[in-house]
Amino acid sequence: MSTFLGKILISLLFFNLGIYETLNAKETSLSDLELIRIIERQKRLLEYGKNWSEDELKRQAQEIVTSYESFLLENPNDINALLLFGKFLRKTGLQDSAISLFLKADQINPNIAVVKQELGNFLVEAGKPVEAFPFFLMTTRLAPQEAVYHYNLGNFVFLFQDKLRGVAGSEKLGSLMHQSFKEATKLNPENFDYHLRFAQSFFDIEDSSHEEALLAWEVLINEFGERTMKEQDYIKINKSRILLHLKRFKEATTLLHSVKSEVMKEEKEKLLEKVRSHESSKNSYHFDRRYQKYKTLELKAHVFPIDANLMRIKQITAKLLQERMLDDLQRDVVQARVQSDGKISLELTSKNLSLESPN
């Protein structure tokens, strides 16, 4: 394999596994080629393992685990290998073993976004969203051009906003969520899901531009080709909500009458009733208390004072290390099975051999 071809192959493999930012611009080495071979075996296991016998599944899984461990014995500080092995263990249900690998990678280099993402995911799954918060923040600092990290941060804040009320600057959590979705759409303007979450987030912040909200929903209608009828009607319903608040009742009524989905029928009728109430009373229409303030919210990078939260990362990581320590890397596969959903699961037992942690 030529050096140039090898660099392209390993870059594509790592990029697909979400750790492209950890690669450096070195020549493809023998260790790189060995990682490629391990990745190829791993991909075969995850893709075709459901068709194998239990003995074959266990044999192949043992080969992958042993290969990663052998590689790390020779290259204990290879971050790519630590991340790849950790991601493989996570995919096969071994979260506890995976987190030890991510912690080791974080000790070696604390400035890798995907490591912070994995540590944040672990803390969320452990029921510790407040502790996870600075890790998700840090991903957007370490990889500001990666749309997915902004999108994940927005979703995290949306899901755990109530539990984050005690963190520094929590009064601006809504703005942070909204800004995160907005940044994701800027970085990846062709992603429908990013635009959808951005448009939805206008309903979750105190002060917002209703014209900007209207434009966000119109982008979903006009710039993403044909959608299903349910999707189109959902967008129409939300666009109508904005039009009603702007007192553009005729436009809202026309749009609502074009909604045909049965699942949207109840919401459609509620909004049409508001139109009828307005027409009968001629009173000002009040859509939602969150929309009573009408001004453009300028969302800028400094809108959220995150430094106080980021300073907690070392403290939280140190506590994780104290609670868990670094797990032994030498393992035996004692069981490998295919779950009902088709995913591969492993159970490991330790050989009681360990690697020294980096200083």
Side-chain angles (χ1 to χ4, degrees):
M1 179 185 296
S2 69
T3 297
F4 178 72
L5 181 59
K7 289 173 71 174
I8 291 176
L9 178 55
I10 196 168
S11 296
L12 287 173
L13 287 168
F14 285 141
F15 182 80
N16 289 336
L17 288 163
I19 60 172
Y20 181 75
E21 70 263 35
T22 69
L23 295 175
N24 53 42
K26 64 180 181 180
E27 296 291 316
T28 302
S29 65
L30 290 176
S31 61
D32 292 331
L33 296 176
E34 176 58 27
L35 274 182
I36 290 175
R37 286 191 285 269
I38 298 172
I39 294 167
E40 289 172 345
R41 290 196 294 269
Q42 175 181 320
K43 289 174 67 176
R44 285 197 299 271
L45 174 74
L46 295 174
E47 186 173 355
Y48 302 112
K50 58 177 180 259
N51 301 320
W52 297 344
S53 67
E54 186 173 335
D55 287 343
E56 178 64 12
L57 184 62
K58 179 178 178 178
R59 187 186 73 78
Q60 294 279 355
Q62 180 68 72
E63 184 178 313
I64 293 168
V65 171
T66 301
S67 296
Y68 272 125
E69 289 172 342
S70 297
F71 184 92
L72 286 168
L73 282 171
E74 295 293 327
N75 308 276
N77 293 338
D78 191 301
I79 291 179
N80 290 331
L82 289 166
L83 294 178
L84 287 165
F85 193 14
K87 283 177 171 287
F88 172 69
L89 294 178
R90 280 207 69 184
K91 285 184 177 180
T92 55
L94 293 167
Q95 173 74 346
D96 288 346
S97 296
I99 197 62
S100 296
L101 294 163
F102 296 133
L103 284 168
K104 184 177 177 71
D106 194 61
Q107 282 188 305
I108 297 168
N109 186 347
N111 296 312
I112 300 176
V114 69
V115 175
K116 300 302 184 189
Q117 181 80 18
E118 293 291 352
L119 293 174
N121 289 338
F122 173 79
L123 288 164
V124 168
E125 291 170 8
K128 299 178 179 180
V130 174
E131 288 83 351
F133 181 45
F135 290 91
F136 290 116
L137 283 172
M138 182 59 86
T139 64
T140 62
R141 281 283 187 93
L142 294 173
Q145 297 305 310
E146 291 294 330
V148 67
Y149 292 132
H150 296 279
Y151 179 70
N152 288 342
L153 176 60
N155 279 324
F156 171 80
V157 173
F158 175 76
L159 291 171
F160 296 103
Q161 190 164 346
D162 289 343
K163 295 184 182 296
L164 298 174
R165 291 299 179 190
V167 305
S170 60
E171 70 279 0
K172 294 183 179 179
L173 281 170
S175 297
L176 174 65
M177 175 194 65
H178 185 64
Q179 174 66 23
S180 297
F181 290 134
K182 186 174 185 177
E183 190 65 20
T185 65
K186 288 181 178 179
L187 293 169
N188 189 351
E190 297 181 359
N191 189 299
F192 177 83
D193 291 332
Y194 292 178
H195 279 276
L196 178 61
R197 290 299 291 119
F198 173 55
Q200 290 170 330
S201 69
F202 281 94
F203 295 107
D204 298 304
I205 55 176
E206 290 286 339
D207 302 324
S208 63
S209 165
H210 303 97
E211 282 82 4
E212 187 179 2
L214 190 62
L215 177 61
W217 288 104
E218 288 175 346
V219 165
L220 289 167
I221 293 175
N222 299 325
E223 297 187 15
F224 285 93
E226 289 296 322
R227 314 300 301 183
T228 67
M229 186 173 70
K230 288 181 181 179
E231 288 175 328
Q232 291 181 49
D233 286 350
Y234 175 78
I235 294 169
K236 290 176 182 179
I237 287 288
N238 285 286
K239 181 179 176 181
S240 297
R241 294 172 68 189
I242 306 297
L243 288 170
L244 288 176
H245 180 71
L246 293 172
K247 300 182 180 180
R248 292 161 61 173
F249 299 106
K250 185 175 181 180
E251 292 175 65
T253 301
T254 301
L255 193 59
L256 286 168
H257 281 306
S258 72
V259 172
K260 304 299 182 184
S261 302
E262 188 65 27
V263 293
M264 302 294 171
K265 183 177 179 180
E266 183 177 351
E267 185 64 23
K268 169 184 174 179
E269 290 303 318
K270 286 181 180 178
L271 295 176
L272 286 173
E273 179 59 34
K274 291 182 182 296
V275 175
R276 290 190 286 268
S277 297
H278 167 78
E279 291 175 345
S280 61
S281 65
K282 301 300 181 182
N283 291 329
S284 296
Y285 174 74
H286 296 285
F287 170 64
D288 190 300
R289 65 179 180 80
R290 290 172 293 185
Y291 278 96
Q292 288 174 13
K293 295 179 181 178
Y294 184 79
K295 67 178 182 180
T296 300
L297 177 63
E298 294 294 335
L299 294 169
K300 299 180 181 178
H302 63 269
V303 72
F304 194 82
I306 62 178
D307 290 338
N309 293 289
L310 294 180
M311 289 176 63
R312 301 174 57 235
I313 282 186
K314 287 186 178 180
Q315 179 183 3
I316 297 168
T317 304
K319 186 177 179 182
L320 262 180
L321 285 166
Q322 290 173 0
E323 289 176 351
R324 305 188 55 76
M325 304 303 290
L326 284 176
D327 210 2
D328 292 339
L329 291 178
Q330 290 293 308
R331 299 283 186 171
D332 278 323
V333 176
V334 295
Q335 194 166 36
R337 63 163 64 97
V338 180
Q339 298 175 326
S340 59
D341 58 4
K343 294 181 180 178
I344 307 295
S345 69
L346 304 182
E347 292 180 13
L348 303 183
T349 183
S350 176
K351 293 180 181 176
N352 296 319
L353 297 176
S354 62
L355 295 178
E356 292 185 1
S357 302
N359 292 328

